[in-house]
Amino acid sequence: MTEKIQELKVSPHFFLRRLHSLSGVVPIGAFLLEHMFTNSFILKGAQVYNEKIEFLMSIPFLPVLEIGLIGLPILYHAFYGFYIMFTGKSNLSSYPHRENWLYMAQRWTGMLTFIYICYHVYHTRIVHILYGTEVSYARMATLMHDPRIFWFYLIGLAAAMFHFTNGVWGFLISWGITVGPKSQKISGFICTLTGLWLYFVGASALIHLVK
């Protein structure tokens, strides 16, 4: 009986890792898709994009939703990801396989994505709270006309899209949804196409702001 109880014991890190993996898909991944959908309206021009932003800004209890459903999950996902990154041991030199390269890329793009998100949040939300600076098409266009910011956004966006879609691929494996090599290959193909499409949409919006 004691042996069976010991077998049922699971390390707390198992649940924390599962929560870390899940948070990357819901709610963070869902918010990312919504954010990319909203940003795609930049391609329709200033008036259409500003209308979408005004609608989002008018949502009741928006600060509570932003903190509870977006901010806190991102902080947990980021800092537990840093914990995994700095406490884990890399075996890339011993086993330079594709999965190990993807694992390392996931960790480093996670760090870059976090920096990118912090910078973006500052220029779109914090300056609005502190100084009343509007969140608008004109505001984003002004930022993108600085070549340093423009290229930082392009690189940060690439890191975010890779981290998200590669994370979804890993999520499907770790949660037992894609268990065989064939299903993992198919999901990898779908995730790659999704990441490329999302990056194309986001990069097109950034370029449109410059033009």
Side-chain angles (χ1 to χ4, degrees):
M1 183 67 178
T2 304
E3 292 180 355
K4 289 184 178 181
I5 293 176
Q6 289 178 345
E7 289 177 359
L8 292 175
K9 289 183 178 179
V10 181
S11 169
H13 290 296
F14 173 81
F15 294 104
L16 291 175
R17 278 180 173 267
R18 284 301 179 95
L19 181 59
H20 176 261
S21 175
L22 181 62
S23 66
V25 178
V26 180
I28 299 173
F31 168 71
L32 174 65
L33 294 177
E34 182 280 324
H35 196 58
M36 296 304 297
F37 173 75
T38 300
N39 286 348
S40 69
F41 285 97
I42 289 175
L43 300 172
K44 293 290 187 178
Q47 181 177 348
V48 175
Y49 178 70
N50 288 340
E51 289 175 354
K52 300 299 178 183
I53 295 299
E54 289 176 7
F55 167 75
L56 293 175
M57 296 295 287
S58 66
I59 294 176
F61 306 107
L62 180 61
V64 176
L65 296 175
E66 287 181 323
I67 295 173
L69 297 182
I70 303 171
L72 293 179
I74 287 178
L75 288 176
Y76 169 75
H77 188 83
F79 284 106
Y80 193 76
F82 292 149
Y83 171 81
I84 295 173
M85 180 178 182
F86 293 118
T87 59
K89 294 182 179 179
S90 173
N91 60 354
L92 186 59
S93 59
S94 302
Y95 304 98
H97 303 305
R98 181 176 67 93
E99 289 77 8
N100 290 328
W101 280 106
L102 290 175
Y103 177 85
M104 290 302 299
Q106 186 71 0
R107 304 280 76 80
W108 287 106
T109 55
M111 179 178 290
L112 180 57
T113 299
F114 182 68
I115 296 172
Y116 169 64
I117 290 174
C118 289
Y119 186 84
H120 181 62
V121 169
Y122 173 79
H123 279 288
T124 56
R125 297 299 292 127
I126 295 180
V127 296
H128 175 72
I129 296 172
L130 294 178
Y131 311 113
T133 305
E134 65 174 358
V135 181
S136 65
Y137 182 99
R139 167 67 176 169
M140 296 306 301
T142 299
L143 289 174
M144 290 308 109
H145 274 81
D146 185 330
R148 296 168 299 178
I149 297 178
F150 174 74
W151 284 104
F152 174 73
Y153 264 69
L154 282 180
I155 295 171
L157 181 65
M161 294 306 104
F162 174 87
H163 189 78
F164 169 61
T165 52
N166 186 58
V168 171
W169 179 73
F171 168 85
L172 295 174
I173 296 174
S174 63
W175 283 75
I177 299 173
T178 54
V179 294
K182 184 176 180 180
S183 60
Q184 292 174 12
K185 185 176 181 180
I186 293 174
S187 66
F189 179 73
I190 295 174
C191 287
T192 299
L193 287 182
T194 302
L196 290 174
W197 171 246
L198 290 174
Y199 183 74
F200 173 77
V201 172
S204 297
L206 295 176
I207 294 172
H208 186 84
L209 288 170
V210 175
K211 290 183 178 180

